[in-house]
Amino acid sequence: MTLSKRIIPCIDVDLDDDGNPAVYTGVNFEDLEYTGDPVEMARAYNESGADEFVFLDITASADGRETMLGVVEDVADEIFIPLTVGGGIRTKADIKETLRAGADKVSINSGAIANPDLITEGADAFGSQCIVISVDAKRRYDEQGEHYVEVDGESCWFECTVKGGREGTGLDVVEWAAEAESRGAGELFVNSIDADGTKDGYDIPLTKAVCDAVDTPVIASSGCGGPEDMHEVFTEAGADAGLAASIFHFGEYSIREVKEYLDERDVPVRL
């Protein structure tokens, strides 16, 4: 039986100048533009046919603060589809509090890289299905990596970055994905800093490299410009889910339009 591919809208949440939570959209994790209210957007996506919903607190890790759990609770009250929450999760206690606030899954990046045992601790305590390991990947064209692919005639590897892509770690994304899986991660969330916000399509070499290395479901993120990009990442890279933000936030495509496009091309989706 073929599992349906999931279509997942995502909001990037930060605090505005008055300290209120707001959704922002940017390019390459920079030049952020105000997009809307997180609770209102969650309500709209719940009604739109989305399979899941992702809430990312995009500055919690970089600023060393806790996730906005009050806002998470408000969002969770508005939706009846699985909710993944990420940003600022560094301990098992953080995982517990985020799940108690209404999240079905937690997305962990910097905290897991700093303490890989957190993956196993979280999976053992709450179940692997709750633990999503997120990677913010950036292409590197030096000789410091472990796993190389050909991109436009050049050999490159993908580096894990932290703090919203602000700092490199020297860690190879493909190697880290395999380790995260072995430690109990139930899902992998693959973001491309190079493709983020460009609408030029997902980073297919990156996504395929991770999908080929693991059996754990992979969510492709960053760069989606339309239904054809979703089709490509499912059929060419093998992703299990496609995440998008801008095309949905600004009404360029509806989730139903994307699903109908995929269904017409024999990609299994929940209509």
Side-chain angles (χ1 to χ4, degrees):
M1 181 178 177
T2 303
L3 293 176
S4 296
K5 302 295 187 180
R6 291 168 288 149
I7 309 303
I8 305 175
C10 172
I11 56 172
D12 291 340
V13 184
D14 196 0
L15 298 175
D16 65 17
D17 292 339
D18 297 322
N20 299 312
V23 178
Y24 291 88
T25 306
V27 178
N28 306 132
F29 284 32
E30 298 178 348
D31 302 324
L32 299 179
E33 173 187 354
Y34 175 79
T35 309
D37 175 80
V39 178
E40 291 177 2
M41 293 179 72
R43 183 185 305 120
Y45 281 126
N46 182 70
E47 298 169 354
S48 71
D51 295 304
E52 300 186 15
F53 187 66
V54 172
F55 175 114
L56 298 179
D57 185 336
I58 57 175
T59 58
S61 291
D63 294 347
R65 61 173 173 77
E66 301 300 318
T67 311
M68 311 172 193
L69 293 182
V71 188
V72 171
E73 291 176 352
D74 292 341
V75 166
D77 286 343
E78 295 292 337
I79 67 174
F80 301 95
I81 52 178
L83 169 63
T84 300
V85 174
I89 296 172
R90 293 176 285 271
T91 66
K92 190 169 76 170
D94 292 338
I95 298 173
K96 181 179 180 179
E97 290 303 310
T98 304
L99 295 174
R100 287 183 62 183
D104 298 283
K105 312 176 193 179
V106 295
S107 174
I108 314 170
N109 180 5
S110 302
I113 289 176
N115 175 24
D117 288 337
L118 179 61
I119 303 172
T120 307
E121 292 172 5
D124 288 346
F126 309 107
S128 290
Q129 76 281 357
C130 294
I131 308 301
V132 181
I133 295 304
S134 175
V135 293
D136 293 340
K138 190 168 182 61
R139 292 182 181 182
R140 300 298 188 198
Y141 294 89
D142 56 33
E143 299 179 355
Q144 305 302 311
E146 298 289 337
H147 185 96
Y148 286 81
V149 299
E150 289 292 320
V151 178
D152 299 327
E154 293 187 76
S155 180
C156 79
W157 64 286
F158 303 99
E159 182 184 22
C160 295
T161 67
V162 294
K163 297 186 178 178
R166 296 170 180 83
E167 293 182 10
T169 65
L171 190 59
D172 186 292
V173 166
V174 177
E175 296 295 313
W176 174 237
E179 179 178 349
E181 178 181 62
S182 72
R183 287 178 175 271
E187 203 159 34
L188 298 168
F189 181 14
V190 182
N191 311 293
S192 168
I193 293 175
D194 302 288
D196 179 69
T198 64
K199 298 183 185 177
D200 291 334
Y202 296 97
D203 190 325
I204 298 300
L206 165 65
T207 309
K208 187 176 189 310
V210 174
C211 289
D212 287 350
V214 300
D215 295 318
T216 301
V218 173
I219 303 170
S221 175
S222 307
C224 183
E228 64 282 356
D229 294 329
M230 290 270 190
H231 183 268
E232 183 183 33
V233 83
F234 290 144
T235 59
E236 299 297 325
D240 299 275
L243 181 143
S246 299
I247 64 167
F248 297 142
H249 294 348
F250 300 115
E252 297 169 30
Y253 296 94
S254 69
I255 290 173
R256 181 161 188 84
E257 285 174 324
V258 170
K259 288 191 172 186
E260 289 177 346
Y261 178 96
L262 295 169
D263 181 61
E264 290 168 0
R265 288 156 181 80
D266 298 321
V267 174
V269 292
R270 297 184 187 93
L271 290 174

